[in-house]
Amino acid sequence: MKETGWKKTAGNGSDGKRTEGKKSFGRGEKTTGFSKNSAKVGVNGEKQGKSARKVSEVEDKWGTHGDRKRNVGEKGGQKTVRGGQRGKTKCPIYRECGGCQYLHLTYDQQLKEKQKRMEELLGGVCPVRPIIGMEEPYHYRNKVHAVFGLDRKNNPISGIYKEGTHRILPVDSCLIEDQKADEIIVTIRSMLRSFKIRVFDEDTGYGLLRHVFIRGGFTTGEILVVLVTASPVFPSKNNFVKALREKHPEITTIVQNINGDKEHVLYGKGYIEDVLCGLRFRISSRSFYQINSAQTEKLYAKAIELAELTGNETVLDAYCGIGTIGLIASKHAGKVIGVELNQDAVRDAVQNAKKNGITNAQFFCNDAGRFMSHMAARGESADVVFMDPPRSGSTEEFIDAVALMQPKRVVYISCGPDTLARDLRMFAKHGYKAKEAWPVDLFGWTEHVETVVLLSQ
Ligand code: SAH
């Protein structure tokens, strides 16, 4: 996704290619897009501070795997900061936010740093191939959260929680988030007073609007806005939705979510669609979707290349989300079986198979470990297993079951290097060796690294 309101950025990707002047937000058919600030969450969804915990409960409903910490404000506290030079702090809330641990480095330096860390972690285990970097390392986040609150003068503010506190750091835009989403959040904030919408006050329990969550389609430019409210009663909602759409006609759907739970579609179809690796995917608000679409295409392409499918294999897509990896692999495979715990995501995956005319894929809603151990107990097998667990990694139950099913290859996609290393050791006990690891930079300026590892016996 990416957007209008492009800002010029000087990128220097791992390939050394200058990308100066490239607009951010997607490649797309359309040039809508978005980006914005976010509530801060710890690496496993745990949050720092009291309110942080509340946020993470709500955020977790949207499956924020893989991208937990983040954020740089380009405009902090509703004040603007210019593009900035490499190696200098480009963000006014760099320290307080804590999301971009590598912002003091150049992009190339941070890639080297990530490479080094992965080599330290996996060096004795398997070769670590050169990290696949971004061509455009700014404004890549297709998903943005803003927490809403009040300043001392009772004016509504939006931003992120200051690390380890309950305090909201006002943020109007962020170097890594999509710019259109930033703009929409600022617009929403500016509309609150005239619509008499009070922001939720965690101390008193009064008020309505808690956060706003925005997600955009990289290729399609479709935009979902989720208004997270403290109560189902939203008095001015029709007029508010109408006015917001007038200001941002690029918004394709608006959903009200009550405290991270129930949802009402206020406008549009309630989900967005996006095109990734040539397939069209529907993504519901609470389904997981990788936050950096350009890099995700490279990640999935590498995963599928490593699987060396010939067209006949039975492929398992474990922790499959909306079915992306399995469906992209399906044309190179005999059949695909996907398993995923989140019901909304499974529903999306089933629809996504239909939408793309794919008839050799089935999806199941279950715990991946339980599902695999039942399959193994029934004597079923798979030729290739793709696994893409959350940052907490996989389980012994899952890995034991994979070993019983004896696939030729396991392709492990991970956003948690430490749990990856742990799980690779478990696989090694069963005779599955890691053959090669490919780090992919999905989370520029943050310390996070995505890695795809090929294992075989
Ligand atoms: N492969 C997908 C999703 C990866 S994110 C993609 O690339 O988009 C990890 C997924 O694992 C999330 O969708 C999450 O809901 C799911 N998940 C978490 N714990 C799980 C479990 N125990 N069993 C099955 N799925 C699980």
Side-chain angles (χ1 to χ4, degrees), residues 65 288-290 300 317-325 339-342 345 366-369 388-390:
H65 144 106
F288 174 84
Y289 190 56
Q290 288 284 12
Y300 290 166
D317 180 6
Y319 311 91
C320 69
I322 61 168
T324 41
I325 298 171
V339 58
E340 160 64 46
L341 202 52
N342 175 335
N366 206 339
D367 168 76
D388 185 8

Side-chain angles (χ1 to χ4, degrees), residues 60 62-66 276 286-290 296 299-300 317-326 339-343 345-346 364-371 386-395 398 413 415 450:
D60 270 356
W62 287 294
T64 47
H65 144 106
L276 207 61
R286 288 176 287 195
S287 297
F288 174 84
Y289 190 56
Q290 288 284 12
T296 298
L299 174 76
Y300 290 166
D317 180 6
Y319 311 91
C320 69
I322 61 168
T324 41
I325 298 171
V339 58
E340 160 64 46
L341 202 52
N342 175 335
Q343 247 177 34
V346 174
F364 298 90
C365 188
N366 206 339
D367 168 76
R370 194 180 325 136
F371 182 82
F386 289 100
M387 57 189 285
D388 185 8
R391 189 162 287 150
S392 52
S394 190
T395 59
F398 182 91
I413 296 169
C415 62
E450 191 87 8

Side-chain angles (χ1 to χ4, degrees), residues 62-353:
W62 287 294
T64 47
H65 144 106
D67 65 321
R68 266 42 227 282
K69 285 175 129 196
R70 49 162 183 263
N71 289 350
V72 194
E74 198 166 18
K75 281 188 226 158
Q78 336 320 317
K79 48 181 158 40
T80 309
V81 161
R82 311 255 167 261
Q85 291 143 274
R86 290 322 32 217
K88 290 208 177 150
T89 307
K90 309 180 215 40
C91 171
I93 57 158
Y94 164 62
R95 271 172 223 292
E96 293 151 294
C97 164
C100 289
Q101 301 82 6
Y102 289 159
L103 203 61
H104 59 292
L105 302 178
T106 65
Y107 187 63
D108 281 351
Q109 281 168 344
Q110 72 171 277
L111 288 182
K112 287 199 182 93
E113 188 58 35
K114 290 181 181 183
Q115 180 80 22
K116 196 171 107 208
R117 273 183 42 221
M118 291 313 296
E119 280 168 6
E120 281 165 8
L121 199 64
L122 300 178
V125 180
C126 69
V128 179
R129 307 293 187 213
I131 186 165
I132 301 172
M134 291 184 225
E135 280 158 41
E136 172 52 77
Y138 296 105
H139 301 296
Y140 57 80
R141 286 191 61 95
N142 60 24
K143 184 184 77 173
V144 173
H145 273 106
V147 193
F148 277 71
L150 296 169
D151 68 8
R152 287 207 188 97
K153 292 178 184 155
N154 260 7
N155 295 313
I157 51 171
S158 58
I160 59 165
Y161 285 116
K162 180 175 152 87
E163 191 161 25
T165 75
H166 216 209
R167 214 187 96 211
I168 296 173
L169 286 175
V171 179
D172 277 5
S173 69
C174 165
L175 285 171
I176 63 173
E177 295 176 345
D178 182 83
Q179 292 163 293
K180 179 54 74 179
D182 278 350
E183 287 172 24
I184 294 172
I185 287 166
V186 171
T187 301
I188 291 173
R189 195 182 67 229
S190 72
M191 290 166 58
L192 297 178
R193 211 176 271 283
S194 53
F195 284 87
K196 298 195 171 57
I197 297 171
R198 288 175 60 183
V199 299
F200 183 69
D201 181 335
E202 286 180 333
D203 296 325
T204 63
Y206 287 113
L208 182 67
L209 185 65
R210 300 186 67 148
H211 343 145
V212 172
F213 164 87
I214 297 183
R215 180 188 266 156
F218 175 64
T219 304
T220 59
E222 293 185 13
I223 297 177
L224 161 81
V225 175
V226 181
L227 305 167
V228 183
T229 61
S231 112
V233 184
F234 186 163
S236 49
K237 69 182 172 210
N238 292 342
N239 287 338
F240 183 78
V241 162
K242 189 164 167 253
L244 181 59
R245 287 180 47 221
E246 270 162 20
K247 289 183 199 288
H248 291 284
E250 62 277 16
I251 295 172
T252 51
T253 187
I254 303 175
V255 167
Q256 180 190 2
N257 176 294
I258 298 118
N259 287 320
D261 227 356
K262 270 211 158 75
E263 294 200 340
H264 303 299
V265 177
L266 304 180
Y267 167 70
K269 52 195 180 192
Y271 57 86
I272 58 160
E273 291 187 2
D274 200 12
V275 177
L276 207 61
C277 298
L279 296 185
R280 196 166 186 94
F281 294 100
R282 145 191 163 147
I283 313 143
S284 296
S285 66
R286 288 176 287 195
S287 297
F288 174 84
Y289 190 56
Q290 288 284 12
I291 55 102
N292 181 338
S293 305
Q295 290 299 99
T296 298
E297 289 199 320
K298 297 182 197 169
L299 174 76
Y300 290 166
K302 181 55 74 184
I304 286 164
E305 178 194 319
L306 293 174
E308 284 185 31
L309 298 170
T310 62
N312 303 316
E313 290 84 357
T314 296
V315 167
L316 248 144
D317 180 6
Y319 311 91
C320 69
I322 61 168
T324 41
I325 298 171
L327 293 174
I328 294 163
S330 67
K331 64 169 174 285
H332 311 289
K335 82 172 181 198
V336 171
I337 299 165
V339 58
E340 160 64 46
L341 202 52
N342 175 335
Q343 247 177 34
D344 290 0
V346 174
R347 216 171 290 137
D348 288 345
V350 170
Q351 291 298 320
N352 288 334

